[in-house]
Structure formats: C-alpha cells, structure tokens
C-alpha cells in the first residue's frame, strides 16, 4: 500500500505541473526552485529530527562531498528536463518517456561490468524502444506525433534518471537515501535560484495554483519518498520496484479522464511495451542478484 500511494503521488506531480503551466505563466526555473527548496527543507528537517548531527556527516569527507555535488547536478537536470518535457507535451507522455531509464541503466551497467546483457534484457530494451517509436511517431515515420522538444527533454530526463539510479549507490549505503535526497534538493534549489533568479520576476499566481505548488512539493517529493522507503522495508526492493511502475499508468488515466489527453491505440501499445519492459527488467534483475548470493 505504501508503494502504491507513493507511485500515485509521483504521478500526481506530473499532473500538477501540467495544471500549473496551464493556469499560470511561471517558468520551469521558477517552479523547480520553489518545489525543491520546500521539499528539501522538509525532508532534511525530518532527517535531522531522527538522526540529529549525523545529518552533516557527508560534509566531513571531501571525496563524498564532490560525489554528492555531481549527483545533485544530475538530479537537477533530471527534474528540470522532466518539467520541460511536460511543458512541451503533457504529464502522461513525459512520464512514459522517462520510464526508458531502466533500459539505459541496463546498458550502462553492462558497459561498466564488461558483461553482455541476456537475451531477455535485449528483448526488453528493443520493446522499450518500440514503445517510444509508437508514442512519438504513431506509425507515421515521416513526422513526429509529439514535439521534438518534448522528445529531447524526455530522453534527457530518462538518461539523467538512469545516472542518479546508478551513481549514488555508495553514498546512499553510507549516509542513507533520505539525507542525500534532502540535501540534494536544497543544493539544487539554491543553485537554481542563483542561476535563474526567478524571484526577480513577479508572476500572477492564483491562490489555487499556490496550493497545488505547495502540495506537489510536500506530498509529491517529501511524503512520497518517505512512503516509498517504508514500503521497501515492508515488501522488499523487488516488489517495490515493480509496483512503482504503476506511476505512468496512473498518470495516463488521470490525463485521459481530467486533462483531455486523447489516447490512441499507438499510445496504449507504446505504454504497454515501455512499462512491460521496465517490470520485466526489475524482476529479472532481482532473480540474477539472488542467484549470485
């Protein structure tokens, strides 16, 4: 239940971003600054209450600090590119393209470990690529059915998500995932505020849009992340990983029902291929890990 709720909240992040863009003129730079600062402060404060001074341990190691900064840079790129993909398409398409990341992780690990992927892995990767082709072309190879900007930003989001899934493993095992994510959000929010200087421009933001912004930061980032970790402890990382793949399905259903997203047969087929490949990779990856024990 915890993982399902977390996946639902993550799906609602994309939906909320689409609603924010439709009802205000805020930029991605402004939105990512506000959301990451709010979520980062809440998550870090939660960790500080639990562990006290241990929350600052990472700053004592120069090497770990540099690794943390690199992770944060890619974390920012992942978040920003996802927002841009939504801006140029919609929440459903952006989320589905981002779910190409398991295939990218697979080939990245194959290169790092010098080991060829299995036949099942190859099939999953080609299935995911076929799903992307169906989503972006709709069977017509002469033109894109989504904007080129949405496709590029979506692929950048997927690639950076793959990096942030692989790179911080040692950091997370040493310091915990919640502190790493919390401090990363604060750092990203601070750098974003300096780079984009979003608060120098005044935007007309309706009260209900402010409510959505705050709720998306609190529920979609801090609460969802905490609930996902609780679910992992209860059912294990395997089942949690598989269940979290419900996110693009929820995002697509909500978009169809409430945001006038027209879902064609090509979209449905592409969604099945991408999500199916992600679930299969999660299951086969765990079986391989168990066999090596």
């Amino acid at each position: 239940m915890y993982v399902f709720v977390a996946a639902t909240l993550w799906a609602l992040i994309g939906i909320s971003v689409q609603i924010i863009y439709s009802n205000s003129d805020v930029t991605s730079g402004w939105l990512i600054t506000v959301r990451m600062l709010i979520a980062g402060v809440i998550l870090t404060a939660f960790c500080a209450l639990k562990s006290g001074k241990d929350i600052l341990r990472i700053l004592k190691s120069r090497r770990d600090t540099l690794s943390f900064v690199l992770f944060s840079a890619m974390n920012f790129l992942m978040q920003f590119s996802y927002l841009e993909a939504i801006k140029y398409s919609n929440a459903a398409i952006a989320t589905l393209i981002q779910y190409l990341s398991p295939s990218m992780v697979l080939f990245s690990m194959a290169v790092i470990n010098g080991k060829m992927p299995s036949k099942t892995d190859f099939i999953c990767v080609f299935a995911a690529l076929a799903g992307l082709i169906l989503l972006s072309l709709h069977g017509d190879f002469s033109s894109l059915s989504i904007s080129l900007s949405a496709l590029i930003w979506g692929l950048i989001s997927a690639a950076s998500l793959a990096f942030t899934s692989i790179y911080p493993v040692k950091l997370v095992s040493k310091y915990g995932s919640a502190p790493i994510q919390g401090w990363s959000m604060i750092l990203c929010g601070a750098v974003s505020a300096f780079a984009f200087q979003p608060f120098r421009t005044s935007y007309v933001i309706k009260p209900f849009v402010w409510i959505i912004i705050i709720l998306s930061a609190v529920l979609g980032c801090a609460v969802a992340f905490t609930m996902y970790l609780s679910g992992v402890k209860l059912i294990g990382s395997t089942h949690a990983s598989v269940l979290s793949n419900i996110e693009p399905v929820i995002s697509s259903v909500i978009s169809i029902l409430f945001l006038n997203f027209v879902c064609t047969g090509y979209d449905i087929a592409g969604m099945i291929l991408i999500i199916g490949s992600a679930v299969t990779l999660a299951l086969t990856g765990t079986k391989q890990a168990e066999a090596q024990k």
Side-chain angles (χ1 to χ4, degrees), residues 32-276:
I32 196 172
T33 301
V34 172
R35 287 179 63 230
M36 296 196 89
L37 284 176
I38 293 174
V41 168
I42 292 174
L43 193 55
T44 305
F46 173 76
C47 295
L49 291 174
K50 290 186 65 178
S51 57
K53 293 182 180 179
D54 285 344
I55 194 79
L56 299 173
R57 276 195 308 138
I58 191 172
L59 300 178
K60 297 178 182 179
S61 170
R62 182 180 179 183
R63 189 174 195 177
D64 289 346
T65 301
L66 292 175
S67 295
F68 167 75
V69 170
L70 177 58
F71 162 72
S72 297
M74 295 304 294
N75 191 25
F76 172 81
L77 180 60
M78 184 263 290
Q79 299 276 355
F80 182 80
S81 56
Y82 180 60
L83 294 183
E84 289 289 283
I86 293 174
K87 183 173 74 174
Y88 287 108
S89 57
N90 55 58
I93 294 297
T95 304
L96 284 168
I97 296 176
Q98 192 183 58
Y99 263 69
L100 292 170
S101 62
S103 297
M104 296 180 179
V105 169
L106 170 69
F107 270 97
S108 298
M109 294 306 296
V111 172
I112 293 171
N113 297 327
K115 183 179 178 181
M116 286 290 291
S118 67
K119 291 181 180 179
T120 302
D121 293 337
F122 272 115
I123 292 172
C124 287
V125 170
F126 282 116
L129 290 175
L132 176 63
I133 291 172
L134 288 172
L135 281 175
S136 58
L137 297 178
H138 278 192
D140 183 3
F141 284 85
S142 63
S143 62
L144 286 169
S145 61
I146 59 175
S147 72
L148 181 60
S149 296
L151 180 59
I152 292 173
W153 282 115
L155 290 173
I156 292 174
S157 176
S160 51
L161 176 58
F163 179 90
T164 56
S165 299
I166 300 171
Y167 184 75
V169 172
K170 292 182 179 179
L171 287 176
V172 169
S173 63
K174 188 174 181 179
Y175 301 102
S177 52
I180 294 297
Q181 284 286 354
W183 280 119
S184 177
M185 289 178 184
I186 291 177
L187 177 61
C188 290
V191 172
S192 177
F194 177 79
F196 293 106
Q197 299 185 348
F199 304 116
R200 297 184 65 178
T201 303
S202 59
Y203 297 101
V204 179
I205 303 176
K206 301 173 184 177
F208 87 93
V209 176
W210 268 116
I211 293 173
I212 294 175
I213 292 171
I214 295 172
L215 286 178
S216 68
V218 176
L219 297 178
C221 295
V223 175
F225 180 75
T226 304
M227 293 195 74
Y228 181 78
L229 292 181
S230 299
V232 169
K233 290 180 180 178
L234 288 174
I235 64 176
S237 59
T238 309
H239 292 91
S241 176
V242 173
L243 283 174
S244 66
N245 284 289
I246 197 69
E247 179 191 347
V249 178
I250 295 173
S251 180
S252 298
V253 170
I254 294 175
S255 296
I256 292 170
L257 293 177
F258 301 105
L259 298 179
N260 299 319
F261 171 51
V262 179
C263 190
T264 67
Y266 291 111
D267 294 321
I268 295 173
M271 179 171 60
I272 292 172
L273 287 170
I274 291 173
I275 297 173

